[in-house]
Structures are given as C-alpha cells and as structure tokens.
Amino acid sequence: RSSKWRSRPKVFSALAALIVLSAIAAGPLRGQEFTLLTHATDGVLSISAAKLANGTARLFSYRDKTGRTVRFILARASKGKLHAVFDACKACYRFHQGYEVSHGYLVCRHCGHRYKLENMNAGKASCVPVPLPHQAKADTVRVKVANLKAGQWLF
C-alpha cells in the first residue's frame, strides 16, 4: 500500500475526535435560550414570573462579578405552583449537559430521565434535579445569590 492510504485512518480519527469534542463543548447551551441575570439588589435576584404560563419553564443564568455563571430553571406547574432547580442533577452534573424543557417536562440531557414540572424535585435512581431555594410571592420569585453560589460546584 502507498503511504497516502495508511495516513487516512489517522486523519479520519482526528476529524471524528474534533467533531465529538465540539459537540460536547456546545452541548449545555445547544438549542436552549437562557435569560442572563447579572444584577442583584441586597444579594437577592427578583425575577418576574408573570409571563410564565402554567405547565412551562424558563431557563436563567446568573453571572457574578467574577464571571462565574450558574444556570437554573424556573417552572410553573400545571396548577400554578412555582418551582426552581439548578440546571443540573445530582448524578449527571459532571457531564455539564443540564436539562431540556419539553412539553411540560424537564428532560435530563445526559440520561434521558423525564420529570413533570409538578414533580421535578422527585428523582429516579440517582438522577435528581437539584432544588434551588427560593421564595415565590404572586408573580415574583426571589433567589438569594448566596444560594446560587452554593450550587456553583454543579457547573
């Protein structure tokens, strides 16, 4: 065989590795829109949930002054109750893929487990959404920056 044929498997392997690494790097944010929050008053984020319809969720990210970003999800269950979780689960967080919001469910992008928005704090096996402490009054959700920083290890 000529030398040009012997080097082709190496070229294809390198190209495949590059494609896989690019997909992994883009994975957490691919196809998802996050609302970026950067301003907290007295260490608390106040987020309007007025436009959050029953059975839907919105994705947020908070970036502190040092540039660290934490992603989280606010959801309104079908009966109107507001829930908040980090965009990571206790088992799959190390893969940095987070959740996808689809038709009233949170879907773990790594293992595929699905959680109805009403029950998103109840997990299956070791895949459990990580709750984010918050206060919900009417259509305003208040999240302490200290609670977001406590969850930075997930990202």
Side-chain angles (χ1 to χ4, degrees), residues 77-145:
S78 61
K79 293 185 180 179
K81 185 174 180 181
L82 289 164
H83 300 276
V85 295
F86 287 98
D87 185 29
C89 78
K90 290 182 181 177
C92 303
Y93 75 92
R94 61 185 160 267
F95 299 102
H96 305 288
Q97 294 181 353
Y99 290 99
E100 182 176 321
V101 178
S102 177
H103 306 289
Y105 286 86
L106 284 185
V107 181
C108 179
R109 295 180 72 201
H110 179 71
C111 70
H113 281 120
R114 301 169 57 85
Y115 305 95
K116 283 187 176 184
L117 297 180
E118 290 85 30
N119 304 322
M120 64 188 203
N121 290 330
K124 299 175 184 175
S126 60
C127 180
V128 181
V130 179
L132 174 61
H134 65 284
Q135 293 178 334
K137 288 187 180 180
D139 283 329
T140 301
V141 177
R142 295 173 47 90
V143 177
K144 292 180 181 178
V145 171

Side-chain angles (χ1 to χ4, degrees), residues 38-54:
T38 57
H39 181 72
T41 303
D42 296 326
V44 177
L45 294 172
S46 290
I47 306 160
S48 174
K51 294 182 182 178
L52 191 60
N54 289 357

Side-chain angles (χ1 to χ4, degrees), residues 4 7 10 18 36 53 56 72 76 99 108 115 132 137:
K4 87 175 188 183
S7 66
K10 292 178 184 176
L18 182 61
L36 178 63
T56 63
F72 62 98
R76 189 181 297 271
Y99 290 99
C108 179
Y115 305 95
L132 174 61
K137 288 187 180 180

